[in-house]
């Protein structure tokens, strides 16, 4: 039976990091992941009986703005409506109407089904690993911006 809770003290962060790896949603260091979740405003974990299968978290100022991050499920649980339910449970914990997120490339349709719309003026700076044009998150408006990314990649 699929169930959800926010009992963060029960989480095995090695296992949680492995879910990110397998989802896949990139590599996470268990200690950093633990701190990121603990420093978040709200989080929800999904279980199949007692087995941790997914999670998500949000940062929020409690009054105006929130941002959702790290929505992730083990691949064998995709496409069964669990992601949508997990996302909804997280939203219920947010006392604000302004919520932003950035979708992993190819997941926009999921967020659209959850009622989210594309932002017309979204702007971001990311660490080089995520900002790499090949990752598909950022649009490089001019050659100067692109050259600066290429330089950072080259110089590490
Ligand atoms: C993104 C993710 C959490 C979605 O969870 P899920 O349980 O597979 O999605 P659901 O089954 O709840 O889908 C809800 C709806 O979105 C649709 N949907 C799901 N993924 C989609 C996609 N990639 N593109 C378009 N539509 C999608 C489903 O068809 C469903 O539509 P319906 O309500 O009309 O039936 C899951 O696929 C995942 O963990 N992916 C890997 C990690 C990741 O990319 N996370 C997102 C980070 S931004």
């Amino acid at each position: 039976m699929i169930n959800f809770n926010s009992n963060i003290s029960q989480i095995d962060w090695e296992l949680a990091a492995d879910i990110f790896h397998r989802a896949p949603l990139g590599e996470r260091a268990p200690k950093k992941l633990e701190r990121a979740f603990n420093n978040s405003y709200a989080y929800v974990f999904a279980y199949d009986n007692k087995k941790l299968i997914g999670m998500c978290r949000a940062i929020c100022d409690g009054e105006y703005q929130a941002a959702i991050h790290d929505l992730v499920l083990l691949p064998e649980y995709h496409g069964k409506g669990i992601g949508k339910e997990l996302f909804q449970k997280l939203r219920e914990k947010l006392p604000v109407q302004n919520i932003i997120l950035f979708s992993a490339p190819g997941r926009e349709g999921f967020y659209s089904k959850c009622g989210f719309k594309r932002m017309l003026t979204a702007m971001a700076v990311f660490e080089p690993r995520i900002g790499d044009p090949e990752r598909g998150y950022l649009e490089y408006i001019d050659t100067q911006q692109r050259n600066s990314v290429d330089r950072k990649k080259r110089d590490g």
Side-chain angles (χ1 to χ4, degrees):
M1 195 192 67
I2 304 300
N3 59 96
F4 304 88
N5 71 47
S6 296
N7 301 337
I8 199 165
S9 59
Q10 296 177 351
I11 300 301
D12 175 339
W13 293 101
E14 299 274 345
L15 213 64
D18 191 52
I19 294 175
F20 278 76
H21 171 74
R22 290 176 55 201
L25 193 60
E27 302 308 311
R28 297 288 192 280
K31 275 280 164 214
K32 286 189 177 188
L33 192 59
E34 178 176 7
R35 280 197 293 273
F37 268 76
N38 273 294
N39 288 333
S40 297
Y41 181 92
Y43 29 75
V44 180
F45 303 98
Y47 291 83
D48 182 358
N49 290 309
K50 290 186 173 172
K51 177 187 165 194
L52 181 66
I53 61 165
M55 70 210 77
C56 58
R57 68 184 177 98
I59 51 181
C60 179
D61 60 22
E63 294 292 345
Y64 301 108
Q65 308 287 342
I68 289 180
H69 294 280
D70 290 347
L71 173 68
V72 65
L73 266 183
L74 281 173
E76 55 271 35
Y77 291 90
H78 292 182
K80 300 172 194 284
I82 303 170
K84 198 171 177 183
E85 207 178 338
L86 178 59
F87 189 73
Q88 187 51 36
K89 302 263 182 226
L90 181 69
R91 282 193 66 184
E92 286 165 13
K93 292 180 171 291
L94 300 176
V96 297
Q97 289 183 305
N98 305 315
I99 304 173
I100 61 170
L101 58 81
F102 61 94
S103 173
R107 306 289 184 213
E108 297 91 333
F110 168 80
Y111 291 110
S112 168
K113 288 277 168 81
C114 294
F116 277 56
K117 294 178 186 62
R118 217 178 259 281
M119 285 178 68
L120 296 180
T121 59
M123 306 290 285
V125 280
F126 287 137
E127 59 183 282
R129 191 175 50 88
I130 301 176
D132 185 333
E134 282 163 29
R135 293 289 297 274
Y137 284 104
L138 296 182
E139 177 187 28
Y140 286 85
I141 296 168
D142 56 34
T143 355
Q144 203 185 345
Q145 285 189 338
R146 186 169 277 273
N147 286 344
S148 132
V149 171
D150 287 344
R151 256 197 318 278
K152 278 188 188 146
K153 262 173 86 176
R154 191 195 55 218
D155 301 341

